[in-house]
Amino acid sequence: MEMDGLDFLNTPPVKTVRFGGSVTETLAKYKKGDLSDYELLKHQLADLEIKDAQIINWLQEFRSCVTQLNKDHEQLIYTILRIPWVGRSQAVVEEYMAFLSNLVSAQTVYLCPCLKMVVSHFTPSMFPLLDLPKSFSQCHQALQLITRYVPSTSRFLMPILQENFPFIQKSSRTLECYVHNLLRVTVYIPSIRRDVLELIIGRMLKLDVSVSRSDIEEAEEPTEEGLFAMVTTITDVLFETLSVSADPSCRTTVMAHPVAERLDTLMAVLMAYIKDVCHVDGSLHVESTKEVYRDLLSVFDKLILTTHASCHVQYVLFYLCSFRLALTEAFLDHLWKFLQNMSQPAVLRQAAAGYLGSFLARAKFIPVLTVQACLDLLVSWIHHYIDNQDSSGKQVCCDVSLHGPFYTTCQAVFYTLIFRHRAILENNLKTGLAYLQRLNLERIVMCQLNPLKVCLPSVTNMFAAITRKYQVVFCYTVIERNNRNGLPVLRSSAGGDNMTANTNPLDSFFPFDPYLLKRSGHLIEPLYQVWEELADTELLPGAKEDEDDFLCEETPQTDSTVGMTPSSYDSHLHSPSSVGSPPFSFHKPF
């Protein structure tokens, strides 16, 4: 039998019948020890097929007696908080939000349970078939209301956001949604932005260090590219509701390696957020940008600089600095001061030097005058270090544990000149050569500390080839002597008598080695200085071809050579002796 096009026999009736008395009567009975209606009420609220009209009716009753819903009614409140309100009619959503507002205002003991309920909806697993942007927007409206009624919400929210962060093994979609929603919270609760960025970047670093560059490159072999279709990330849709517009170029081929795919997705989300927060109507907003920079720099010092073998996450600073020259100079100045700070552990000072050299070499947006200003500071520091060693009256030897920051700084200078020598020389060869001569690189190369013995052979040989071509310094005499004598490079625990030899002890770190992630990589590509092959005439036969492969974006790995990439070496950096640093600074204010 059918009526009006409906299958009457097979269509269940709409559940509008409720059992028991009103909420007020039920609570009164409960107080007297009669639990029957109370348990019935909880049972009806937990019904998965509960209808909109019934929800609204009950919520209105709960609001009228919210002052009675104290800690004694915890189980009842938890049942209400499990009602599937997200994605329902606008009337239900509005009534539910009104209930939440009344509840946290009258019973602050339920603030955290309410926050946990809202945050639990930050992943698509809660409502896989619903309109995600609309559903997420409803969650944020609820959270904003709670924050308005309980100003201290932010103090209780961060632990909940941290506790609910999905495991990094979860799908890209789950992680993407959660990170998107965390960043969206910072728009209306800016006081927790630094903590949120720290949480997100900390989880991203775990992804980053869990997969090596070689693993990603192997998975992305050209023969496999045809297996992965073009996709549009959920970021494109989600950020429309936040006015965070993911770059159209984010629509690209999926990464073959599952960990790289998850990391790529999160990098795209984070960089889209940074771009949107820093810009208003397409123009850079200076104050907002400064605030984001300070927050990210704090996270950089705490997490990124101290993390061994990250390949990609550090590019959030690279990307942000491209917005404005003052940001670039501020970051360089920060690294420079970190390198000079004798109170910092040597391992971090060496990491700062690695960041300086890699940033100067690879950031296309750094003007040549800024590169030269940095080189002036670094080279002056190196000469000052040599002066101190020469005047110390002690025997100077090639000891990485005593002079680690010195050697890392020398390598940063050599590496920068390898990539930027053309920019220094191209406008005016005579002026450029005069500048290189003023650096007095010969003294650095010839000093008793012997940096060419310690620096990565591929860097040493390329630097030697370039400086010989322009007759700035002749390194091959030192290189050949080092090879002929087989001089051991010493390590000591604290400059003591227990020395051990190591043929290549400097842990080389070039944090801005080529960016491998495809989707977010579209934002990095136009900012990035790739290696430009030297003509054959620029290289001596003595410079082995396989030692130069790293400059063609491939790093040979052998037992005796420490690779250029962050994931290709073990972390064995040691503390240096104290030495003064010249009080120079090139920092310019915003």
Side-chain angles (χ1 to χ4, degrees):
M1 179 187 300
E2 291 192 5
M3 294 181 63
D4 298 325
L6 296 176
D7 186 345
F8 181 77
L9 293 177
N10 296 319
T11 302
V14 176
K15 287 192 177 182
T16 57
V17 180
R18 54 179 284 182
F19 302 95
S22 68
V23 171
T24 302
E25 293 170 346
T26 300
L27 294 179
K29 287 184 179 180
Y30 177 83
K31 193 171 183 179
K32 294 178 181 179
D34 183 352
L35 307 183
S36 56
D37 282 3
Y38 194 82
E39 293 302 321
L40 183 59
L41 174 60
K42 288 197 299 180
H43 178 75
Q44 292 179 86
L45 288 169
D47 186 354
L48 295 178
E49 297 182 14
I50 190 171
K51 301 306 176 183
D52 287 9
Q54 213 163 356
I55 294 175
I56 292 172
N57 182 259
W58 265 320
L59 289 175
Q60 289 172 344
E61 290 189 42
F62 280 122
R63 287 175 60 196
S64 67
C65 58
V66 72
T67 55
Q68 300 178 46
L69 300 176
N70 53 33
K71 188 70 173 175
D72 294 338
H73 301 291
E74 186 177 80
Q75 292 305 314
L76 176 61
I77 294 299
Y78 287 168
T79 303
I80 300 172
L81 294 180
R82 285 193 289 269
I83 291 176
W85 63 277
V86 175
R88 286 186 176 268
S89 67
Q90 187 63 25
V92 170
V93 171
E94 290 177 359
E95 192 62 45
Y96 197 90
M97 289 185 186
F99 166 74
L100 289 178
S101 302
N102 290 165
L103 180 64
V104 296
S105 299
Q107 307 287 351
T108 54
V109 68
Y110 293 119
L111 173 62
C112 284
C114 288
L115 294 176
K116 289 178 181 178
M117 179 274 295
V118 174
V119 173
S120 72
H121 288 77
F122 279 3
T123 55
S125 58
M126 295 301 297
F127 28 73
L129 301 179
L130 300 182
D131 180 348
L132 285 180
K134 181 180 179 181
S135 300
F136 289 153
S137 291
Q138 291 171 350
C139 293
H140 289 288
Q141 289 169 22
L143 193 52
Q144 284 176 275
L145 272 175
I146 293 173
T147 304
R148 184 183 307 164
Y149 284 98
V150 186
S152 61
T153 293
S154 59
R155 298 209 326 263
F156 301 94
L157 183 58
M158 268 315 301
I160 293 170
L161 296 178
Q162 185 168 357
E163 179 183 338
N164 282 266
F165 204 108
F167 292 117
I168 59 175
Q169 292 85 1
K170 290 289 186 179
S171 69
S172 293
R173 185 167 180 258
T174 297
L175 291 168
E176 180 180 20
C177 287
Y178 194 78
V179 167
H180 157 80
N181 284 313
L182 258 59
L183 293 171
R184 188 167 173 180
V185 170
T186 69
V187 174
Y188 53 88
I189 312 180
S191 62
I192 66 170
R193 182 171 61 193
R194 182 172 297 186
D195 290 334
V196 167
L197 288 172
E198 184 178 320
L199 172 60
I200 292 171
I201 288 174
R203 300 304 171 93
M204 290 172 63
L205 283 169
K206 289 183 179 180
L207 281 172
D208 205 356
V209 300
S210 69
V211 57
S212 69
R213 297 179 62 88
S214 59
D215 287 343
I216 296 176
E217 290 171 332
E218 182 178 348
E220 298 298 330
E221 288 294 327
T223 55
E224 300 294 326
E225 286 183 358
L227 298 177
F228 302 97
M230 299 293 284
V231 297
T232 301
T233 71
I234 199 168
T235 306
D236 301 326
V237 179
L238 292 177
F239 279 154
E240 290 176 4
T241 61
L242 177 61
S243 298
V244 176
S245 303
D247 193 281
S249 60
C250 285
R251 302 172 182 178
T252 185
T253 307
V254 177
M255 297 293 295
H257 197 291
V259 175
E261 167 61 18
R262 291 197 288 272
L263 182 60
D264 192 12
T265 299
L266 297 187
M267 287 294 294
V269 173
L270 186 53
M271 287 196 280
Y273 168 82
I274 291 170
K275 179 181 179 181
D276 190 79
V277 170
C278 293
H279 292 80
V280 177
D281 297 327
S283 299
L284 191 72
H285 189 275
V286 174
E287 286 304 315
S288 298
T289 303
K290 287 169 67 174
E291 291 171 2
V292 173
Y293 171 77
R294 292 189 193 102
D295 288 341
L296 282 175
L297 191 66
S298 174
V299 179
F300 173 82
D301 287 349
K302 187 173 182 179
L303 297 181
I304 300 176
L305 187 66
T306 60
T307 297
H308 167 66
S310 64
C311 303
H312 300 96
V313 175
Q314 55 265 31
Y315 271 91
V316 295
L317 263 299
F318 188 99
Y319 178 62
L320 176 61
C321 287
S322 70
F323 292 173
R324 186 178 173 92
L325 178 58
L327 291 173
T328 296
E329 294 183 334
F331 185 51
L332 288 166
D333 184 65
H334 180 76
L335 294 170
W336 162 240
K337 288 175 178 174
F338 208 107
L339 170 61
Q340 294 179 89
N341 190 348
M342 304 303 298
S343 67
Q344 293 290 349
V347 64
L348 296 184
R349 295 175 63 211
Q350 289 179 242
Y355 269 94
L356 265 170
S358 194
F359 191 51
L360 289 169
R362 294 296 198 171
K364 191 185 292 185
F365 50 84
I366 302 180
V368 67
L369 290 177
T370 302
V371 173
Q372 290 178 258
C374 293
L375 287 172
D376 287 340
L377 293 174
L378 294 171
V379 169
S380 178
W381 185 89
I382 291 170
H383 284 302
H384 188 70
Y385 195 102
I386 295 171
D387 289 341
N388 282 2
Q389 295 302 309
D390 290 346
S391 62
S392 67
K394 299 178 182 179
Q395 182 180 359
V396 178
C397 62
C398 198
D399 188 342
V400 174
S401 62
L402 289 176
H403 312 293
F406 168 81
Y407 290 120
T408 313
T409 305
C410 288
Q411 182 161 270
V413 169
F414 300 160
Y415 188 72
T416 301
L417 287 171
I418 287 170
F419 276 87
R420 303 305 293 260
H421 72 277
R422 281 179 171 148
I424 293 171
L425 298 171
E426 64 184 0
N427 290 331
N428 189 315
L429 181 61
K430 183 177 180 181
T431 302
L433 287 173
Y435 169 76
L436 294 179
Q437 293 288 353
R438 286 199 303 273
L439 296 178
N440 197 2
L441 298 171
E442 183 174 7
R443 182 187 184 226
I444 298 173
V445 167
M446 301 295 179
C447 75
Q448 293 184 70
L449 290 169
N450 196 2
L452 293 185
K453 177 64 180 177
V454 177
C455 293
L456 198 69
S458 49
V459 174
T460 295
N461 285 318
M462 189 60 69
F463 175 74
I466 290 169
T467 52
R468 179 188 182 277
K469 175 188 177 182
Y470 296 104
Q471 299 182 21
V472 176
V473 58
F474 194 79
C475 301
Y476 288 102
T477 301
V478 177
I479 294 174
E480 290 169 3
R481 184 175 71 241
N482 289 338
N483 292 338
R484 183 171 61 251
N485 295 340
L487 295 175
V489 181
L490 299 179
R491 286 182 181 276
S492 67
S493 57
D497 296 329
N498 297 324
M499 301 284 188
T500 58
N502 191 317
T503 56
N504 190 12
L506 186 64
D507 287 316
S508 304
F509 184 33
F510 299 89
F512 298 117
D513 266 2
Y515 194 87
L516 303 179
L517 306 179
K518 295 179 180 178
R519 187 178 303 120
S520 52
H522 286 289
L523 296 172
I524 301 301
E525 186 178 356
L527 312 172
Y528 191 74
Q529 178 63 54
V530 297
W531 169 245
E532 298 174 356
E533 294 272 8
L534 294 179
D536 292 341
T537 55
E538 296 185 61
L539 299 174
L540 281 182
K544 296 181 181 179
E545 181 181 352
D546 62 349
E547 290 177 336
D548 299 327
D549 284 349
F550 81 94
L551 296 173
C552 306
E553 322 301 16
E554 293 183 6
T555 306
Q557 302 296 315
T558 67
D559 293 337
S560 60
T561 302
V562 178
M564 292 287 288
T565 60
S567 56
S568 61
Y569 60 88
D570 294 325
S571 184
H572 299 300
L573 302 184
H574 297 266
S575 300
S577 60
S578 297
V579 64
S581 303
F584 296 134
S585 176
F586 55 83
H587 176 51
K588 295 180 181 179
F590 285 91

